Amino acid sequence: MTTRLDEMLGAHRREIQHLFRQYIGLDRPLLLRSDLVDAYESFCETPAGRPLADTPFTPIIHAAQEAVLFPPLIYLSIRLGVAGWSYVEIHADEMRSHEISVSEFLRTKERVIHGSSADDDWVVEIDLRPFERGFPKMRETRSIGRGVEFLNRHLSSRLFADIGRGDQRLFDFLKVHEVRGKQMMLNGQIRDLDGLREALGTAHDYLRTLRPNSEWTDVERDLVTLGFEPGWGRTVPQVLETMGLLSDILEAPSPHILEHFLSRIPMIFSIAIISPHGYFGQADVLGKPDTGGQVVYILDQVRALERAMRQSIHDQGLDIEPQILVLTRLIPESEGTTCSQRIERIHGTEYARILRIPFRDLDGAVIRHWISRFQIWPHLERFAHDAATEMVAELGEPPDFIIGNYSDGNLVASMLSSILGVTQCNIAHALEKTKYLHSDLYWKDHEADHHFDCQYTADLISMNTADFIITSTYQEIAGTRNSVGQYESYRSFTMPGLYRVLAGIDTFDPKFNIVAPGADAEIFFPYHATELRLIELHDEIRDMVFGKEREDAHGSIRDPDKPLVFAMSRLDRIKNMTGLVEWFGRSPELRREANLFVVGGFIDPARSSDTDERSQIERMHSLFEELELDGQARWLVMQSNKSLVGELYRFVADTGGIFVQPALFEAFGLTVIEAMTSGLPTFATCYGGPLETIEHGVSGFHLDPNHGDEAAARMAAFLEECRKDPDTWRRISTGAIERVESRYTWELYAERLLALSRIYGFWKFISNIEREETSRYLQMFYGLMFRPLAQRIDRR
């Protein structure tokens, strides 16, 4: 990089010096990629800059993610490709460059932004690279998010070689499975791998003589005598297939066969899902502070997992009911919700339930009121220990698998995994670090409200302790060619005065896997499935959208014959609902083609206890008045009835409308999936998950929330084209439905997540994958850094 840069500095000295003077003239110590690229492209349109336009300097500037200006020195962080970084120092007068370390770049950034006091050589630096030496890492960017495939290829080759020498680990793994005191898979009749090979051959010859409709119960006595216990399958063909897979592994193994075999082993009978913050309930909670898509996600996840577990256990030949616990916090003053109940059965399941455990103060007294997700950090350690005790008491034994959700739930899941020795999976849902610009660099400015010092420290710990991490999209891990991924942003950063992270998370780590969720198919289905439509709700929905003024609505729609521009989200700055209202209000073309219907938050700001939401509510009211939207726009409070919401999507589709998700950033966007599966043409932010969910121009459209006028113009043009040619609307609608059905269903999600839990559990057992040295380092980081940070938060 520096060689190529030096060549450019020498060949175009005058032009680049002129460009650097323009950068310095912006009079800002820190420039983002957009600042660098915009100024560069403008410069290249001038006579002075035109010689640079077609040179190798252009891709260098486009790859630069950040510039720190300390005239005459300019420091660049350059992203050479997905997850590939270089840092350079350029002397703008002498026109020379040299590569610097990430530590030096971060230290320079601190010094320039915060002054000379930040130039401290004794700041704590976090570097996890030394602990990863010798552990397999991927090299190809296309492999990111497919960790289990890589792990199977890499580790299985080593295992298979050992099996050829009589390795005991696979044999020992098959012997450890039992459920509630009942031995699974193998018993003491088989003593080693040679004995296993012989028993498999005998069992195979015997089973081939039986009728295909024979079941395990018909052959159990004979197979137990050979050394086999239940778990191989319910029917004789299933038992034969499972035993055949194991025989293939012992004889001529392959990663694919290993994965197929592991996915059939009876390992997962109980799951704990951790989600401490917010109001976790099944009714009357959506729209409350810190309560939104994550609750919907988990409840849908639970139903899908129970169905998949029951099917898997049935196919394994076992008569055991799966257990799923959602661990959350108990809130005695729960504002009329069920969040004050210790146990609550989850609707649509047989054996899944919510287990609520209270937060406690320093004296052990139960904390009765809700606490913001940004304030709960001092309560999580006690919560984790209480949860471990109550969870084991509720299940009768530790769970087989733990799933953490969001930063707080992931940290608790890490603690529970350590306490109970259980395989752990993390799901971020959203990483706050990418939502708030420079929130790490200016963390002290956010301390009073957000405590990002605790959150980002918790993220680092839980990301690195998790056995595996699932994400909904590739970009969540590693971004795109031009944008940094959410997890990639934890690779290196600084929190001045606290610590620097030189190597925090490696996106090439095989713990990352993409497993996209779906929408509840019983609630969200295409508008043209007329036999399933909830016609009885249409009068109520029509009044919600087109009715007179009411307490839970603001504004009105005079012309019901126009299509609806529909959006639904909680009201906070990141979701950008007020941005959409402003785009609509300032676009004569869009107002001519459609009406606006938004659902979210409260109408009365006094009803919200969240500062950000109150601000957005007040902004919404001012926009309705300023832009004179009454008659063309309707704003309704957040709706918690899922059946009604599902029919609402389809009602909007009946009008020939569209769905808009205008967020400044969206990690995945369940509402996007819900809208698409309902058949609504969807316009969604290009920042985050929708960039992958939607194929632009085929199954929907991307929009840039930073350019609202362009977004409004694109929506208006689409609606105008649909008015002239209805096939345009139907084409995108069909594309959206087909996209979801092929890739985003809960059935596919649950099957894949259970397979991952078994495979990572296997490798954890076989190869000591828990990385004990890293765990000890992170435990020290927790004790010396996180715990003191959490303890200084007000615990009232």
Side-chain angles (χ1 to χ4, degrees):
M1 169 57 67
T2 53
T3 300
R4 183 171 46 161
L5 187 55
D6 280 338
E7 290 174 355
M8 292 304 305
L9 295 177
H12 295 274
R13 181 183 185 92
R14 181 178 303 174
E15 293 89 349
I16 295 176
Q17 277 186 328
H18 194 165
L19 172 67
F20 285 168
R21 283 196 294 271
Q22 290 199 12
Y23 284 154
I24 293 170
L26 294 175
D27 198 27
R28 287 157 49 198
L30 187 64
L31 300 181
L32 300 176
R33 177 181 181 275
S34 56
D35 301 319
L36 295 168
V37 171
D38 289 349
Y40 178 73
E41 290 181 348
S42 296
F43 177 64
C44 287
E45 292 176 357
T46 67
R50 198 165 291 127
L52 279 179
D54 295 321
T55 69
F57 196 66
T58 298
I60 292 175
I61 291 296
H62 279 262
Q65 301 298 308
E66 210 172 40
V68 180
L69 305 183
F70 190 54
L73 298 176
I74 295 177
Y75 299 85
L76 297 177
S77 65
I78 299 175
R79 189 169 179 259
L80 303 171
V82 172
W85 292 78
S86 178
Y87 303 90
V88 296
E89 176 193 86
I90 303 173
H91 197 292
D93 291 339
E94 299 178 5
M95 296 301 285
R96 55 177 172 77
S97 70
H98 73 276
E99 192 165 358
I100 60 175
S101 67
V102 61
S103 177
E104 187 175 352
F105 179 80
L106 294 176
R107 187 165 61 246
T108 300
K109 186 193 291 190
E110 295 169 14
R111 185 172 68 247
V112 170
I113 302 300
H114 293 284
S116 58
S117 61
D119 189 13
D120 184 354
D121 290 332
W122 297 101
V123 169
V124 173
E125 292 190 331
I126 308 301
D127 188 350
L128 290 166
R129 284 172 299 187
F131 301 100
E132 303 299 322
R133 290 172 186 158
F135 194 84
K137 290 290 179 69
M138 298 176 290
R139 295 178 181 272
E140 300 294 330
T141 56
R142 60 185 174 83
S143 297
I144 292 174
R146 297 159 57 191
V148 75
E149 299 172 28
F150 170 83
L151 204 61
N152 279 343
R153 287 197 307 271
H154 187 91
L155 294 182
S156 59
S157 60
R158 193 185 313 166
L159 173 66
F160 298 151
D162 291 338
I163 287 175
R165 295 191 291 268
D167 187 86
Q168 278 286 113
R169 289 172 297 174
L170 178 59
F171 178 68
D172 291 340
F173 176 75
L174 293 173
K175 289 191 352 182
V176 300
H177 298 293
E178 64 173 46
V179 183
R180 298 161 196 170
K182 172 69 174 174
Q183 182 65 36
M184 299 284 108
M185 304 301 287
L186 301 180
N187 61 38
Q189 293 294 113
I190 302 175
R191 291 183 169 82
D192 53 31
L193 277 178
D194 288 337
L196 177 59
R197 289 188 178 96
E198 183 178 346
L200 285 169
T202 303
H204 181 268
D205 291 342
Y206 164 62
L207 293 172
R208 289 290 297 271
T209 68
L210 302 177
R211 297 188 309 273
N213 61 350
S214 300
E215 296 196 353
W216 172 266
T217 52
D218 300 321
V219 300
E220 182 173 8
R221 185 166 56 183
D222 293 327
L223 290 182
V224 168
T225 302
L226 289 174
F228 298 103
E229 294 291 338
W232 294 91
R234 180 165 295 274
T235 66
V236 164
Q238 288 173 327
V239 174
L240 273 169
E241 185 177 359
T242 305
M243 289 185 171
L245 289 169
L246 180 56
S247 296
D248 288 343
I249 290 171
L250 298 175
E251 181 66 27
S254 75
H256 174 72
I257 294 174
L258 178 66
E259 181 172 338
H260 194 186
F261 173 70
L262 292 175
S263 68
R264 302 169 73 103
I265 290 184
M267 294 171 60
I268 308 298
F269 301 94
S270 60
I271 297 176
I273 299 174
I274 320 299
S275 181
H277 75 255
Y279 290 79
F280 197 101
Q282 301 178 83
D284 304 320
V285 298
L286 295 183
K288 289 187 178 297
D290 295 343
T291 309
Q294 182 173 315
V295 173
V296 176
Y297 179 110
I298 292 173
L299 291 174
D300 287 345
Q301 175 196 55
V302 166
R303 297 184 186 99
L305 283 173
E306 187 186 78
R307 287 193 297 269
M309 290 169 72
R310 295 184 76 176
Q311 184 63 54
S312 175
I313 293 169
H314 176 273
D315 291 345
Q316 289 158 356
L318 306 175
D319 296 315
I320 298 170
E321 295 296 344
Q323 303 282 323
I324 301 179
L325 286 182
V326 177
L327 269 68
T328 188
R329 63 163 300 201
L330 184 142
I331 309 173
E333 298 175 9
S334 61
E335 299 187 7
T337 71
T338 58
C339 296
S340 58
Q341 298 178 13
R342 179 179 179 273
I343 289 283
E344 180 181 355
R345 190 178 73 82
I346 295 177
H347 306 320
T349 70
E350 293 291 329
Y351 296 95
R353 52 209 183 274
I354 301 168
L355 172 62
R356 298 188 179 93
I357 298 156
F359 288 165
R360 297 181 182 273
D361 64 20
L362 291 172
D363 298 323
V366 170
I367 296 175
R368 302 188 58 79
H369 55 276
W370 167 84
I371 299 173
S372 163
R373 72 183 189 275
F374 296 118
Q375 306 290 330
I376 66 174
W377 303 107
H379 305 285
L380 295 183
E381 187 170 338
R382 172 69 179 268
F383 176 83
H385 285 278
D386 291 347
T389 301
E390 294 204 32
M391 178 172 56
V392 171
E394 187 69 26
L395 294 173
E397 58 188 359
D400 299 309
F401 180 40
I402 295 174
I403 303 172
N405 292 274
Y406 193 68
S407 299
D408 50 6
N410 288 334
L411 183 65
V412 173
S414 296
M415 297 182 202
L416 289 171
S417 176
S418 177
I419 294 168
L420 302 173
V422 177
T423 300
Q424 171 207 351
C425 162
N426 280 4
I427 307 173
H429 294 281
L431 293 168
E432 301 290 337
K433 188 170 177 295
T434 52
K435 289 184 179 180
Y436 299 84
L437 185 62
H438 297 316
S439 54
D440 49 356
L441 191 59
Y442 295 99
W443 67 272
K444 291 181 181 178
D445 297 343
H446 297 273
E447 182 66 5
D449 295 325
H450 295 108
H451 298 289
F452 288 142
D453 53 350
C454 285
Q455 184 153 9
Y456 300 165
T457 304
D459 285 337
L460 280 173
I461 293 169
S462 61
M463 288 174 189
N464 284 285
T465 55
D467 293 300
F468 67 100
I469 297 170
I470 68 169
T471 71
S472 300
T473 61
Y474 177 95
Q475 62 78 34
E476 193 176 336
I477 309 169
T480 66
R481 182 179 181 86
N482 296 321
S483 64
V484 177
Q486 293 180 66
Y487 281 96
E488 187 183 5
S489 73
Y490 282 81
R491 176 186 178 275
S492 61
F493 62 95
T494 179
M495 302 183 79
L498 196 60
Y499 57 78
R500 300 180 192 122
V501 178
L502 309 187
I505 191 70
D506 186 351
T507 53
F508 286 97
D509 195 306
K511 68 174 56 182
F512 286 104
N513 293 272
I514 301 169
V515 186
D520 187 339
E522 294 184 3
I523 302 293
F524 304 101
F525 51 83
Y527 71 96
H528 52 64
T530 53
E531 71 283 2
L532 302 176
R533 295 286 298 269
L534 306 178
I535 304 300
E536 65 275 15
L537 294 177
H538 281 203
D539 287 343
E540 180 181 354
I541 291 174
R542 193 171 289 106
D543 185 64
M544 290 165 55
V545 180
F546 299 120
K548 297 179 181 179
E549 190 77 19
R550 41 195 266 180
E551 282 189 5
D552 62 351
H554 181 68
S556 64
I557 293 176
R558 283 192 296 267
D559 183 358
D561 294 329
K562 285 184 179 181
L564 290 170
V565 173
F566 175 43
M568 180 169 58
S569 167
R570 69 178 185 270
L571 289 185
D572 63 31
R573 186 188 66 85
I574 295 297
K575 294 298 185 182
N576 197 33
M577 291 281 276
T578 54
L580 171 61
V581 173
E582 186 167 9
W583 304 346
F584 178 85
R586 298 192 187 283
S587 171
E589 296 82 9
L590 189 53
R591 293 179 72 159
R592 182 181 65 244
E593 295 293 337
N595 295 311
L596 177 66
F597 180 54
V598 294
V599 177
F602 296 103
I603 303 299
D604 181 1
R607 294 194 60 191
S608 175
S609 58
D610 184 270
T611 303
D612 189 11
E613 183 181 47
R614 284 198 302 271
S615 173
Q616 292 296 304
I617 292 170
E618 290 164 357
R619 174 67 175 155
M620 192 80 85
H621 280 289
S622 67
L623 286 170
F624 264 72
E625 182 176 352
E626 174 191 347
L627 301 173
E628 299 179 347
L629 292 176
D630 193 24
Q632 282 194 283
R634 178 86 151 181
W635 167 27
L636 191 72
V637 300
M638 179 60 80
Q639 300 298 301
S640 58
N641 184 325
K642 286 184 65 177
S643 295
L644 185 144
V645 168
E647 193 60 33
L648 183 56
Y649 282 113
R650 294 184 287 272
F651 181 89
V652 174
D654 292 339
T655 74
I658 61 175
F659 181 78
V660 185
Q661 207 275 27
L664 301 177
F665 179 84
E666 182 60 66
F668 179 65
L670 272 178
T671 56
V672 171
I673 297 297
E674 293 168 356
M676 290 173 67
T677 200
S678 303
L680 266 178
T682 299
F683 290 73
T685 180
C686 63
Y687 297 110
L691 192 62
E692 290 179 42
T693 309
I694 293 173
E695 298 169 288
H696 185 75
V698 177
S699 56
F701 303 92
H702 302 137
L703 57 82
D704 188 338
N706 298 311
H707 296 91
D709 53 346
E710 294 178 11
R714 176 172 289 172
M715 288 184 273
F718 174 75
L719 288 168
E720 181 182 13
E721 186 177 351
C722 292
R723 175 167 51 81
K724 296 176 179 177
D725 180 9
D727 282 343
T728 300
W729 189 95
R730 285 191 288 268
R731 175 175 56 83
I732 299 299
S733 172
T734 300
I737 294 169
E738 291 175 349
R739 177 74 169 173
V740 172
E741 288 177 346
S742 66
R743 301 187 65 162
Y744 302 103
T745 70
W746 281 114
E747 181 180 6
L748 293 171
Y749 172 100
E751 290 175 357
R752 187 58 177 163
L753 181 54
L754 289 177
L756 290 173
S757 68
R758 296 184 181 104
I759 295 166
Y760 279 93
F762 170 76
W763 287 121
K764 185 172 183 174
F765 180 91
I766 289 290
S767 62
N768 195 28
I769 203 171
E770 58 272 282
R771 315 179 205 189
E772 291 181 1
E773 296 83 359
T774 308
S775 296
R776 288 196 292 270
Y777 181 85
L778 293 169
Q779 287 168 2
M780 179 181 67
F781 187 44
Y782 179 95
L784 297 180
M785 186 64 68
F786 177 81
R787 187 180 284 143
L789 290 174
Q791 287 174 345
R792 72 188 190 190
I793 298 175
D794 188 351
R795 295 181 60 132
R796 288 176 296 179

